[in-house]
Amino acid sequence: MTATANSSSPLLSIDGLVVRYGQITALSEVSLHVDEGEVVSIVGPNGAGKSSLLGAIAGLVQPAGGRIAFAGEPVAPRALERTVRRGIALVPEGRHVFGGLTVHENLMLGATVRNDRRVVDDEIARFFDIFPILGERRNEAAGRLSGGEQQMLVIARALLSKPRLLMLDEPSLGLAPKVTDRVYELLAEIRAQGLTILVVEQNAPRALKAANRTYVLNGGRVRLAGPSATLAADPDFEAAYFGLRTEAAS
């Protein structure tokens, strides 16, 4: 992908972020930025702190230190609804559909922050065109969908909030390779429309291929960062990913 020209300041800026759970430090002095219109990936092994990072950005986690700013304004901790209204949407790990509600009802929940119902109805119809299986099963319980179908549903639900920043936590987790291909094709289509994307992945080759820039997170610290094409060829990448490199990236 070709990087979009940077604006005067990042859309998302994180400086010195610290997240703790009791005596356990999940993130230590993490700093990164995401410019408007680009795709940034966060890669690292299980337990690296990736989900804690997204949770803090989304307002789900109370940081112990540091600063998170979105569009130049601080992100309030534990204020998910406010965060969504400001333009940040999170697709959590494990999909989290409302299994007892229908596909259509799940989609409507994504648009609760909006008042333009006629436009919402048109957008839902468009998603049913993009994902015909969702259209066919619009009145069925979402819990009966396959894992891949649920992933498409939660991405569509997040997009219905009209975000400026779409965050995805392990979007390929547990999916068949062909379904993962379709998820990333969709992300490429979304990015081509100008939406900014922050994606967390254990699947480093997939993330490097999809993103403009990548941060390697391990042990709660950024170990390596840079353009994805550069990191893919960096001899230090594997050591940073698997925790064999101890110094944090500058």
Side-chain angles (χ1 to χ4, degrees):
M1 293 180 178
T2 302
T4 301
N6 292 348
S7 58
S8 57
S9 61
L11 179 63
L12 175 71
S13 179
I14 299 174
D15 297 302
L17 181 65
V18 178
V19 171
R20 297 191 182 99
Y21 302 103
Q23 299 299 312
I24 298 172
T25 299
L27 295 174
S28 181
E29 299 294 330
V30 168
S31 297
L32 60 86
H33 71 277
V34 180
D35 293 321
E36 192 145 22
E38 72 173 344
V39 178
V40 171
S41 66
I42 310 291
V43 302
N46 189 37
K50 304 186 301 296
S51 294
S52 293
L53 175 61
L54 293 192
I57 297 168
L60 295 170
V61 174
Q62 172 76 55
R67 180 177 183 272
I68 304 172
F70 179 71
E73 297 182 5
V75 171
R78 297 181 181 174
L80 178 60
E81 183 178 352
R82 178 181 171 188
T83 301
V84 172
R85 289 186 180 278
R86 287 184 58 193
I88 299 176
L90 172 63
V91 176
E93 179 184 348
R95 293 175 278 279
H96 294 285
V97 301
F98 295 91
L101 299 181
T102 67
V103 167
H104 185 265
E105 288 168 339
N106 268 267
L107 290 173
M108 289 299 296
L109 287 174
T112 54
V113 298
R114 298 173 58 182
N115 297 317
D116 50 345
R117 291 306 176 193
R118 182 173 298 178
V119 177
V120 168
D121 289 342
D122 290 342
E123 291 178 6
I124 289 176
R126 182 169 58 85
F127 281 121
F128 286 155
D129 288 337
I130 296 171
F131 308 120
I133 188 63
L134 297 184
E136 293 170 12
R137 306 182 69 176
R138 70 187 71 191
N139 295 318
E140 294 185 30
R144 298 175 63 183
L145 299 178
S146 69
E149 292 162 356
Q150 289 186 9
Q151 188 65 284
M152 297 301 179
L153 175 59
V154 294
I155 292 173
R157 186 177 67 196
L159 290 172
L160 281 165
S161 69
K162 302 297 286 186
R164 293 179 66 185
L165 172 65
L166 176 66
M167 303 193 302
L168 301 104
D169 193 355
E170 303 284 6
S172 67
L173 186 66
L175 300 183
K178 287 185 178 180
V179 178
T180 298
D181 288 343
R182 182 66 189 103
V183 169
Y184 274 88
E185 287 170 4
L186 173 63
L187 296 185
E189 294 167 10
I190 294 168
R191 193 268 179 178
Q193 297 171 14
L195 184 62
T196 307
I197 300 173
L198 178 61
V199 57
V200 155
E201 268 285 9
Q202 287 189 53
N203 186 335
R206 175 73 70 174
L208 287 167
K209 185 177 179 180
N212 301 117
R213 293 186 301 107
T214 294
Y215 292 84
V216 182
L217 192 66
N218 196 319
R221 293 180 179 272
V222 174
R223 305 296 179 176
L224 203 63
S228 298
T230 301
L231 293 192
D234 192 324
D236 288 334
F237 179 83
E238 186 172 336
Y241 184 98
F242 289 106
L244 304 176
R245 177 186 173 111
T246 57
E247 69 272 22
S250 57

Coordinates of all heavy atoms in Angstrom, one line a residue, residues 27 55 80 168 230 246:
L27 N 1.7 -2.8 30.0 CA 2.3 -1.9 29.1 C 3.2 -0.9 29.9 O 2.9 -0.4 30.9 CB 1.3 -1.0 28.3 CG 0.3 -1.8 27.4 CD1 -0.7 -0.8 26.9 CD2 1.1 -2.4 26.3
G55 N -7.5 -1.5 24.4 CA -8.5 -1.2 25.5 C -8.3 0.2 26.0 O -9.3 0.9 26.3
L80 N -16.3 4.6 27.1 CA -16.4 4.0 25.8 C -17.4 4.7 24.9 O -17.1 4.9 23.7 CB -16.8 2.5 26.0 CG -17.0 1.7 24.6 CD1 -15.7 1.7 23.8 CD2 -17.5 0.3 24.9
L168 N -8.9 -3.1 15.2 CA -9.3 -4.5 15.1 C -8.3 -5.3 15.9 O -7.1 -5.2 15.7 CB -9.3 -5.0 13.7 CG -10.2 -4.3 12.7 CD1 -9.4 -3.4 11.8 CD2 -11.0 -5.3 11.9
T230 N 10.2 -2.3 5.4 CA 11.5 -2.2 6.0 C 11.7 -3.3 7.1 O 12.6 -4.0 7.2 CB 11.8 -0.8 6.6 OG1 11.8 0.1 5.6 CG2 13.2 -0.8 7.2
T246 N 16.0 -6.8 23.8 CA 15.6 -6.3 25.1 C 15.4 -4.7 25.1 O 14.7 -4.2 25.8 CB 16.6 -6.6 26.2 OG1 17.9 -6.2 25.9 CG2 16.6 -8.1 26.4

